[in-house]
Amino acid sequence: MNPSHSSSDPAVPCTAVTLLPPPEFLVRLAGRGGRRPEAGYLLCELAAGHDEDHAMVLWEDDARHLAVWARWSGDRATLAELSWCGVTDPRGEDACGLFAEHTAAHDWAVVDATLAAVDAVLAREHPHLAPRDGV
């Protein structure tokens, strides 16, 4: 992997969203009269400007150190079991929450301006709950 972002430069999140309909085999398994599986929205977790398919983690398999990811481009979507990125944030002990071999910035470098603003308000209004360095 070779992310093009330095860890000191915040990256903007990708804003791609798509609707993932349930696969036909799930619809058939639900049967007639059963509850039909619902479509769900996918929101890309990569940094804006990435050169690969969009990606969102659907569920984790901690025992096998991987996750099932939805990958999409246009109206084509696939599911894939992918190992976790093994890179650790140099500022702490948190590992990147993306898949191995991703080409965009690591997840700790992707800063959502709305969430950052909410975090700032909460830290100001409830300083006793705000994270502190070293804790």
Side-chain angles (χ1 to χ4, degrees):
M1 182 190 77
N2 187 13
S4 58
H5 248 41
S6 77
S7 60
S8 61
D9 256 352
V12 175
C14 179
T15 58
V17 177
T18 194
L19 184 64
L20 181 65
E24 280 303 314
F25 75 89
L26 280 180
V27 173
R28 285 192 305 274
L29 283 174
R32 296 178 195 198
R35 185 165 179 221
R36 178 182 166 86
E38 296 181 20
Y41 285 97
L42 302 176
L43 175 62
C44 185
E45 296 185 37
L46 301 175
H50 57 84
D51 294 330
E52 55 200 317
D53 286 352
H54 300 292
M56 178 178 165
V57 68
L58 297 179
W59 59 86
E60 302 174 19
D61 184 346
D62 290 334
R64 294 175 39 208
H65 306 290
L66 52 79
V68 175
W69 290 79
R71 305 293 310 270
W72 75 94
S73 178
D75 62 354
R76 178 193 54 81
T78 59
L79 302 182
E81 285 186 327
L82 301 173
S83 298
W84 291 108
C85 175
V87 178
T88 304
D89 184 346
R91 300 168 297 180
E93 297 178 8
D94 292 332
C96 178
L98 299 174
F99 52 90
E101 307 299 323
H102 65 89
T103 60
H106 294 294
D107 70 345
W108 61 78
V110 180
V111 178
D112 182 316
T114 302
L115 292 178
V118 169
D119 287 347
V121 168
L122 292 174
R124 195 170 49 251
E125 292 180 7
H126 306 282
H128 61 287
L129 299 176
R132 299 183 311 269
D133 288 338
V135 177

Coordinates of all heavy atoms in Angstrom, one line a residue, residues 43-124:
L43 N -22.1 4.2 2.1 CA -21.4 5.5 2.1 C -19.9 5.2 2.1 O -19.4 4.5 3.0 CB -21.8 6.3 3.3 CG -21.0 7.6 3.5 CD1 -21.2 8.6 2.4 CD2 -21.4 8.3 4.9
C44 N -19.2 5.7 1.1 CA -17.8 5.3 1.0 C -17.0 5.8 2.2 O -17.2 6.9 2.7 CB -17.2 6.0 -0.3 SG -15.5 5.5 -0.6
E45 N -16.1 5.0 2.7 CA -15.3 5.3 3.8 C -13.9 5.8 3.5 O -13.1 6.1 4.3 CB -15.1 4.0 4.7 CG -16.5 3.6 5.3 CD -16.3 2.4 6.3 OE1 -15.3 2.4 7.0 OE2 -17.2 1.6 6.3
L46 N -13.6 5.8 2.2 CA -12.2 6.2 1.7 C -12.1 7.8 1.7 O -13.1 8.5 1.7 CB -11.9 5.6 0.4 CG -12.0 4.1 0.3 CD1 -11.8 3.6 -1.1 CD2 -11.0 3.5 1.3
A47 N -10.9 8.2 1.5 CA -10.7 9.7 1.3 C -11.1 10.1 -0.1 O -11.1 9.3 -1.1 CB -9.2 10.0 1.5
A48 N -11.6 11.3 -0.2 CA -12.0 11.8 -1.5 C -10.8 11.7 -2.5 O -9.7 11.9 -2.2 CB -12.4 13.3 -1.4
G49 N -11.2 11.5 -3.8 CA -10.2 11.4 -4.8 C -9.4 10.1 -4.9 O -8.4 10.0 -5.6
H50 N -9.9 9.1 -4.3 CA -9.3 7.8 -4.3 C -9.4 7.2 -5.7 O -10.3 7.6 -6.5 CB -9.8 6.8 -3.3 CG -11.3 6.6 -3.4 ND1 -11.9 5.7 -4.3 CD2 -12.4 7.2 -2.8 CE1 -13.2 5.7 -4.2 NE2 -13.5 6.6 -3.3
D51 N -8.4 6.3 -6.1 CA -8.3 5.8 -7.4 C -8.9 4.4 -7.6 O -8.6 3.7 -8.6 CB -6.8 5.8 -7.9 CG -6.3 7.1 -8.0 OD1 -7.0 8.1 -8.3 OD2 -5.0 7.3 -7.8
E52 N -9.6 3.9 -6.6 CA -10.1 2.6 -6.6 C -11.7 2.6 -6.4 O -12.2 3.7 -6.2 CB -9.5 1.8 -5.5 CG -9.6 2.4 -4.1 CD -8.6 1.9 -3.1 OE1 -8.4 0.7 -3.1 OE2 -8.0 2.7 -2.4
D53 N -12.3 1.5 -6.5 CA -13.7 1.4 -6.2 C -14.1 2.0 -4.8 O -13.2 1.9 -3.9 CB -14.2 0.0 -6.3 CG -14.3 -0.6 -7.7 OD1 -14.1 0.2 -8.6 OD2 -14.6 -1.8 -7.8
H54 N -15.3 2.5 -4.7 CA -15.7 3.0 -3.4 C -15.8 1.8 -2.4 O -15.9 0.6 -2.9 CB -17.1 3.7 -3.5 CG -17.1 4.8 -4.4 ND1 -16.4 6.0 -4.1 CD2 -17.6 5.0 -5.6 CE1 -16.5 6.9 -5.1 NE2 -17.3 6.3 -6.0
A55 N -15.8 2.0 -1.1 CA -15.8 0.9 -0.2 C -16.4 1.3 1.1 O -16.3 2.4 1.6 CB -14.3 0.5 0.1
M56 N -17.2 0.3 1.7 CA -17.8 0.4 3.0 C -17.8 -0.9 3.7 O -18.1 -1.9 3.1 CB -19.2 0.9 2.9 CG -19.9 1.1 4.3 SD -21.6 1.7 4.1 CE -22.2 1.3 5.7
V57 N -17.3 -1.0 4.9 CA -17.3 -2.2 5.7 C -18.8 -2.6 6.1 O -19.5 -1.7 6.5 CB -16.4 -2.2 6.9 CG1 -16.9 -1.2 8.0 CG2 -16.1 -3.5 7.5
L58 N -19.1 -3.8 5.9 CA -20.5 -4.3 6.2 C -20.5 -5.0 7.6 O -21.4 -4.8 8.4 CB -21.1 -5.1 5.1 CG -21.2 -4.5 3.8 CD1 -21.8 -5.5 2.8 CD2 -22.1 -3.3 3.9
W59 N -19.6 -5.9 7.8 CA -19.4 -6.6 9.0 C -18.0 -7.1 9.2 O -17.3 -7.3 8.3 CB -20.5 -7.7 9.3 CG -20.5 -8.8 8.3 CD1 -19.8 -9.9 8.3 CD2 -21.3 -8.9 7.1 NE1 -20.1 -10.7 7.3 CE2 -21.0 -10.1 6.5 CE3 -22.3 -8.1 6.6 CZ2 -21.6 -10.6 5.4 CZ3 -22.9 -8.5 5.4 CH2 -22.6 -9.7 4.8
E60 N -17.7 -7.3 10.5 CA -16.3 -7.7 10.8 C -16.3 -9.1 11.3 O -17.2 -9.6 11.9 CB -15.8 -6.8 12.0 CG -15.8 -5.3 11.6 CD -15.4 -4.5 12.8 OE1 -14.8 -5.0 13.8 OE2 -15.7 -3.3 12.8
D61 N -15.1 -9.8 11.0 CA -14.9 -11.1 11.4 C -13.6 -11.1 12.2 O -12.5 -11.3 11.6 CB -14.8 -12.1 10.2 CG -14.6 -13.5 10.6 OD1 -14.2 -13.8 11.8 OD2 -14.7 -14.4 9.8
D62 N -13.6 -10.7 13.4 CA -12.4 -10.5 14.3 C -11.6 -11.8 14.4 O -10.4 -11.7 14.5 CB -12.8 -9.9 15.6 CG -13.3 -8.5 15.6 OD1 -12.9 -7.8 14.6 OD2 -14.1 -8.1 16.5
A63 N -12.3 -12.9 14.5 CA -11.6 -14.2 14.6 C -10.6 -14.4 13.5 O -9.5 -15.0 13.7 CB -12.5 -15.3 14.8
R64 N -11.0 -14.0 12.3 CA -10.2 -14.2 11.1 C -9.4 -13.0 10.7 O -8.7 -12.9 9.6 CB -11.0 -14.8 10.0 CG -11.6 -16.1 10.3 CD -12.5 -16.7 9.3 NE -12.2 -16.4 7.9 CZ -13.0 -16.3 6.9 NH1 -14.3 -16.5 7.2 NH2 -12.6 -16.1 5.7
H65 N -9.5 -11.9 11.4 CA -8.8 -10.6 11.2 C -9.2 -10.0 9.8 O -8.3 -9.6 9.1 CB -7.3 -10.8 11.3 CG -6.9 -11.3 12.6 ND1 -7.0 -10.6 13.8 CD2 -6.4 -12.5 13.0 CE1 -6.6 -11.4 14.8 NE2 -6.3 -12.5 14.3
L66 N -10.4 -10.1 9.4 CA -10.9 -9.5 8.2 C -12.3 -9.0 8.3 O -12.9 -9.1 9.4 CB -10.8 -10.5 7.0 CG -11.4 -11.9 7.2 CD1 -12.9 -11.9 6.9 CD2 -10.7 -12.8 6.2
A67 N -12.8 -8.4 7.2 CA -14.1 -7.9 7.2 C -14.7 -8.1 5.9 O -14.0 -8.3 4.9 CB -14.1 -6.4 7.6
V68 N -16.1 -8.0 5.8 CA -16.7 -8.1 4.5 C -17.0 -6.6 4.1 O -17.6 -5.9 4.9 CB -18.1 -8.9 4.6 CG1 -18.8 -8.8 3.3 CG2 -17.8 -10.3 5.0
W69 N -16.5 -6.3 2.9 CA -16.6 -5.0 2.4 C -17.5 -5.0 1.2 O -17.5 -5.9 0.4 CB -15.3 -4.4 2.0 CG -14.4 -4.1 3.1 CD1 -13.7 -5.1 3.9 CD2 -14.1 -2.9 3.7 NE1 -13.0 -4.4 4.9 CE2 -13.2 -3.1 4.8 CE3 -14.5 -1.6 3.4 CZ2 -12.7 -2.0 5.6 CZ3 -14.0 -0.5 4.2 CH2 -13.1 -0.8 5.3
A70 N -18.3 -3.9 1.0 CA -19.1 -3.7 -0.2 C -18.1 -2.7 -1.0 O -17.7 -1.7 -0.5 CB -20.4 -3.0 0.0
R71 N -17.9 -3.1 -2.3 CA -17.1 -2.3 -3.2 C -17.9 -1.9 -4.4 O -18.7 -2.8 -4.9 CB -15.8 -3.1 -3.7 CG -14.9 -3.6 -2.6 CD -14.2 -2.6 -1.8 NE -13.5 -1.6 -2.5 CZ -12.3 -1.7 -3.0 NH1 -11.5 -2.7 -2.7 NH2 -11.7 -0.7 -3.7
W72 N -18.0 -0.7 -4.8 CA -18.8 -0.3 -5.9 C -18.2 0.8 -6.8 O -17.4 1.5 -6.3 CB -20.2 0.0 -5.5 CG -20.3 1.4 -4.8 CD1 -20.7 2.6 -5.5 CD2 -20.1 1.7 -3.5 NE1 -20.7 3.6 -4.5 CE2 -20.4 3.1 -3.3 CE3 -19.7 1.0 -2.3 CZ2 -20.2 3.8 -2.1 CZ3 -19.6 1.7 -1.1 CH2 -19.8 3.0 -1.0
S73 N -18.7 0.8 -8.0 CA -18.3 1.8 -9.0 C -19.5 1.9 -9.9 O -20.0 0.9 -10.5 CB -17.1 1.4 -9.8 OG -16.8 2.4 -10.7
G74 N -20.1 3.1 -10.0 CA -21.3 3.2 -10.8 C -22.4 2.4 -10.2 O -22.7 2.4 -9.0
D75 N -23.1 1.5 -11.0 CA -24.2 0.7 -10.5 C -23.8 -0.7 -10.3 O -24.6 -1.6 -10.1 CB -25.4 0.8 -11.5 CG -25.1 0.2 -12.9 OD1 -23.9 -0.1 -13.1 OD2 -26.0 0.1 -13.7
R76 N -22.5 -1.0 -10.3 CA -22.0 -2.4 -10.1 C -21.4 -2.4 -8.7 O -20.5 -1.7 -8.3 CB -20.8 -2.7 -11.1 CG -20.2 -4.0 -10.9 CD -18.9 -4.2 -11.7 NE -17.9 -3.1 -11.5 CZ -17.1 -3.1 -10.5 NH1 -17.1 -4.0 -9.5 NH2 -16.2 -2.1 -10.3
A77 N -21.9 -3.4 -7.9 CA -21.4 -3.6 -6.5 C -21.0 -5.0 -6.3 O -21.6 -5.9 -6.8 CB -22.4 -3.2 -5.5
T78 N -19.9 -5.2 -5.5 CA -19.5 -6.6 -5.1 C -19.2 -6.6 -3.6 O -19.0 -5.6 -3.0 CB -18.2 -7.0 -5.9 OG1 -17.2 -6.1 -5.6 CG2 -18.4 -7.1 -7.4
L79 N -19.3 -7.8 -3.1 CA -18.9 -8.0 -1.7 C -17.6 -8.8 -1.7 O -17.4 -9.7 -2.5 CB -20.0 -8.8 -0.9 CG -21.4 -8.2 -0.9 CD1 -22.3 -9.1 -0.1 CD2 -21.4 -6.8 -0.4
A80 N -16.7 -8.4 -0.8 CA -15.4 -9.1 -0.7 C -14.9 -9.2 0.7 O -15.1 -8.3 1.5 CB -14.4 -8.3 -1.5
E81 N -14.3 -10.3 1.1 CA -13.7 -10.5 2.4 C -12.3 -9.9 2.2 O -11.5 -10.4 1.3 CB -13.6 -12.0 2.8 CG -14.8 -12.6 3.2 CD -14.6 -14.0 3.8 OE1 -13.7 -14.7 3.2 OE2 -15.3 -14.4 4.7
L82 N -11.9 -8.9 3.0 CA -10.6 -8.3 2.9 C -10.0 -8.2 4.3 O -10.7 -7.9 5.3 CB -10.8 -6.9 2.3 CG -11.4 -6.8 0.9 CD1 -11.7 -5.3 0.5 CD2 -10.5 -7.4 -0.1
S83 N -8.7 -8.4 4.3 CA -7.9 -8.3 5.6 C -7.9 -6.8 5.9 O -8.0 -5.9 5.1 CB -6.5 -8.8 5.4 OG -6.6 -10.2 5.1
W84 N -7.7 -6.5 7.2 CA -7.5 -5.2 7.7 C -6.2 -4.6 7.3 O -5.2 -5.3 7.2 CB -7.6 -5.1 9.2 CG -9.0 -5.4 9.7 CD1 -9.4 -6.6 10.3 CD2 -10.2 -4.6 9.6 NE1 -10.8 -6.5 10.6 CE2 -11.2 -5.3 10.2 CE3 -10.4 -3.4 9.1 CZ2 -12.5 -4.8 10.3 CZ3 -11.7 -2.8 9.1 CH2 -12.7 -3.6 9.7
C85 N -6.1 -3.3 7.2 CA -4.8 -2.6 7.0 C -4.0 -2.8 8.3 O -4.6 -2.6 9.3 CB -5.1 -1.1 6.7 SG -3.6 -0.1 6.5
G86 N -2.8 -3.1 8.2 CA -2.0 -3.3 9.3 C -1.2 -2.1 9.8 O -0.4 -2.2 10.8
V87 N -1.4 -1.0 9.2 CA -0.6 0.2 9.6 C -1.2 0.9 10.9 O -2.4 1.0 11.0 CB -0.6 1.2 8.4 CG1 0.2 2.5 8.8 CG2 0.0 0.6 7.2
T88 N -0.4 1.2 11.8 CA -0.8 1.9 13.0 C -0.6 3.4 13.0 O 0.5 3.8 12.5 CB 0.0 1.3 14.2 OG1 -0.2 -0.1 14.2 CG2 -0.4 1.8 15.6
D89 N -1.5 4.1 13.5 CA -1.4 5.6 13.6 C -0.1 5.9 14.3 O 0.1 5.5 15.5 CB -2.6 6.1 14.3 CG -2.7 7.7 14.3 OD1 -1.7 8.3 14.1 OD2 -3.8 8.2 14.6
P90 N 0.8 6.7 13.8 CA 2.0 7.1 14.4 C 1.8 7.9 15.7 O 2.7 8.0 16.6 CB 2.8 7.9 13.4 CG 1.8 8.2 12.3 CD 0.7 7.3 12.4
R91 N 0.6 8.5 15.9 CA 0.3 9.3 17.1 C -0.2 8.4 18.2 O -0.5 8.9 19.3 CB -0.7 10.4 16.7 CG -0.3 11.3 15.7 CD -1.5 12.1 15.2 NE -2.5 11.2 14.6 CZ -3.6 11.6 14.1 NH1 -3.9 12.9 14.2 NH2 -4.4 10.8 13.6
G92 N -0.4 7.2 18.0 CA -1.0 6.3 19.1 C -0.9 4.9 18.7 O -0.1 4.4 17.9
E93 N -1.9 4.1 19.2 CA -1.9 2.7 19.0 C -3.0 2.2 18.1 O -3.2 1.0 17.9 CB -1.9 1.9 20.3 CG -0.8 2.2 21.2 CD -0.9 1.5 22.6 OE1 -1.8 0.7 22.8 OE2 0.0 1.8 23.4
D94 N -3.8 3.1 17.6 CA -4.9 2.7 16.7 C -4.5 2.3 15.4 O -3.7 3.0 14.7 CB -5.9 3.9 16.6 CG -6.6 4.2 17.9 OD1 -6.8 3.3 18.7 OD2 -7.0 5.4 18.1
A95 N -5.0 1.1 14.9 CA -4.7 0.7 13.6 C -5.7 1.3 12.6 O -6.8 1.7 13.0 CB -4.9 -0.9 13.5
C96 N -5.3 1.4 11.4 CA -6.2 1.9 10.3 C -7.4 1.0 10.2 O -7.3 -0.2 10.2 CB -5.4 2.0 9.0 SG -6.4 2.5 7.6
G97 N -8.6 1.6 10.1 CA -9.8 0.8 10.0 C -10.2 0.5 8.6 O -11.4 0.1 8.3
L98 N -9.3 0.6 7.6 CA -9.6 0.3 6.2 C -9.0 -1.1 5.9 O -8.4 -1.7 6.7 CB -9.1 1.4 5.3 CG -9.7 2.8 5.5 CD1 -9.0 3.8 4.7 CD2 -11.2 2.8 5.3
F99 N -9.2 -1.5 4.7 CA -8.7 -2.8 4.2 C -7.3 -2.7 3.8 O -6.8 -1.7 3.4 CB -9.6 -3.4 3.1 CG -9.8 -2.4 2.0 CD1 -8.9 -2.4 0.9 CD2 -10.8 -1.5 2.0 CE1 -9.0 -1.5 -0.1 CE2 -11.0 -0.6 0.9 CZ -10.1 -0.6 -0.1
A100 N -6.6 -3.9 3.9 CA -5.2 -3.9 3.4 C -5.1 -3.5 1.9 O -6.0 -3.8 1.2 CB -4.6 -5.3 3.6
E101 N -4.0 -2.9 1.6 CA -3.7 -2.5 0.2 C -4.6 -1.4 -0.3 O -4.6 -1.1 -1.5 CB -3.9 -3.7 -0.8 CG -3.1 -4.9 -0.4 CD -1.6 -4.7 -0.3 OE1 -1.1 -3.9 -1.2 OE2 -0.9 -5.2 0.6
H102 N -5.3 -0.6 0.6 CA -6.0 0.5 0.1 C -5.0 1.6 -0.4 O -3.9 1.6 0.1 CB -7.0 1.1 1.2 CG -6.3 1.6 2.4 ND1 -5.9 2.9 2.5 CD2 -6.0 1.0 3.5 CE1 -5.3 3.1 3.6 NE2 -5.3 2.0 4.3
T103 N -5.4 2.4 -1.3 CA -4.5 3.3 -1.9 C -4.7 4.8 -1.4 O -3.9 5.6 -1.6 CB -4.5 3.4 -3.5 OG1 -5.9 3.7 -3.8 CG2 -4.1 2.0 -4.0
A104 N -5.8 5.0 -0.8 CA -6.2 6.3 -0.2 C -5.5 6.5 1.2 O -4.9 5.6 1.7 CB -7.7 6.5 -0.2
A105 N -5.7 7.7 1.7 CA -5.2 8.0 3.1 C -5.7 7.0 4.1 O -6.8 6.4 3.9 CB -5.6 9.4 3.5
H106 N -5.0 6.8 5.2 CA -5.5 5.9 6.3 C -6.6 6.6 6.9 O -6.8 7.8 6.9 CB -4.3 5.7 7.3 CG -3.2 4.9 6.7 ND1 -3.4 3.6 6.4 CD2 -1.9 5.2 6.5 CE1 -2.2 3.1 5.9 NE2 -1.3 4.1 6.0
D107 N -7.5 5.9 7.6 CA -8.7 6.4 8.1 C -8.5 7.5 9.2 O -9.3 8.5 9.2 CB -9.7 5.3 8.7 CG -9.2 4.7 9.9 OD1 -8.0 4.8 10.3 OD2 -10.0 4.0 10.6
W108 N -7.4 7.5 9.9 CA -7.2 8.6 10.9 C -6.9 9.9 10.2 O -7.0 11.0 10.9 CB -6.1 8.2 11.9 CG -4.8 8.0 11.3 CD1 -3.9 8.9 10.9 CD2 -4.2 6.7 11.0 NE1 -2.8 8.3 10.4 CE2 -2.9 7.0 10.5 CE3 -4.6 5.4 11.2 CZ2 -2.1 6.0 10.1 CZ3 -3.7 4.4 10.9 CH2 -2.5 4.7 10.3
A109 N -6.5 9.9 9.0 CA -6.2 11.1 8.3 C -7.4 11.7 7.6 O -7.3 12.8 7.1 CB -5.1 10.9 7.2
V110 N -8.5 11.0 7.5 CA -9.7 11.5 6.9 C -10.6 12.2 7.9 O -11.0 11.6 8.9 CB -10.5 10.3 6.3 CG1 -11.8 10.8 5.6 CG2 -9.7 9.5 5.3
V111 N -10.8 13.5 7.7 CA -11.5 14.3 8.7 C -12.8 14.8 8.1 O -12.8 15.5 7.1 CB -10.6 15.5 9.1 CG1 -11.4 16.4 10.1 CG2 -9.3 15.0 9.7
D112 N -13.9 14.4 8.8 CA -15.2 14.8 8.4 C -15.5 16.2 9.1 O -15.5 16.2 10.4 CB -16.2 13.8 8.8 CG -17.6 14.2 8.4 OD1 -18.0 15.3 8.6 OD2 -18.4 13.3 7.9
A113 N -15.6 17.2 8.4 CA -15.7 18.6 9.0 C -16.9 18.7 9.9 O -16.9 19.3 10.9 CB -15.8 19.6 7.9
T114 N -18.0 18.0 9.5 CA -19.2 18.1 10.4 C -19.0 17.4 11.7 O -19.3 17.9 12.8 CB -20.4 17.4 9.6 OG1 -20.6 18.1 8.4 CG2 -21.7 17.5 10.5
L115 N -18.4 16.2 11.7 CA -18.1 15.4 12.9 C -17.1 16.2 13.8 O -17.2 16.2 15.0 CB -17.7 14.0 12.6 CG -18.7 13.1 12.0 CD1 -18.1 11.7 11.7 CD2 -19.9 13.0 12.9
A116 N -16.1 16.8 13.1 CA -15.1 17.6 13.9 C -15.8 18.8 14.6 O -15.5 19.1 15.7 CB -14.0 18.1 12.9
A117 N -16.7 19.4 13.9 CA -17.5 20.5 14.5 C -18.3 20.0 15.7 O -18.3 20.7 16.8 CB -18.3 21.2 13.5
V118 N -19.0 18.9 15.6 CA -19.8 18.3 16.7 C -18.8 18.0 17.8 O -19.1 18.3 19.0 CB -20.6 17.1 16.2 CG1 -21.2 16.4 17.3 CG2 -21.6 17.5 15.2
D119 N -17.7 17.3 17.5 CA -16.7 17.0 18.6 C -16.3 18.2 19.3 O -16.2 18.2 20.6 CB -15.5 16.3 18.0 CG -15.8 14.9 17.6 OD1 -16.9 14.3 18.0 OD2 -15.0 14.3 16.8
A120 N -16.0 19.3 18.6 CA -15.6 20.6 19.3 C -16.6 21.1 20.2 O -16.3 21.6 21.3 CB -15.2 21.6 18.2
V121 N -17.9 21.2 19.8 CA -19.0 21.7 20.6 C -19.1 20.8 21.9 O -19.2 21.3 23.0 CB -20.3 21.7 19.8 CG1 -21.5 21.9 20.7 CG2 -20.2 22.8 18.7
L122 N -19.1 19.5 21.7 CA -19.2 18.6 22.8 C -18.1 18.7 23.8 O -18.3 18.7 25.0 CB -19.4 17.1 22.3 CG -20.7 16.8 21.6 CD1 -20.6 15.4 21.0 CD2 -21.9 17.0 22.5
A123 N -16.9 18.9 23.3 CA -15.7 19.0 24.1 C -15.8 20.3 24.9 O -15.4 20.4 26.1 CB -14.4 19.0 23.3
R124 N -16.3 21.4 24.3 CA -16.5 22.7 25.0 C -17.6 22.6 26.0 O -17.4 23.1 27.1 CB -16.8 23.7 23.9 CG -16.6 25.2 24.4 CD -16.7 26.2 23.2 NE -17.9 26.0 22.3 CZ -17.8 25.6 21.1 NH1 -16.6 25.3 20.6 NH2 -18.9 25.5 20.4

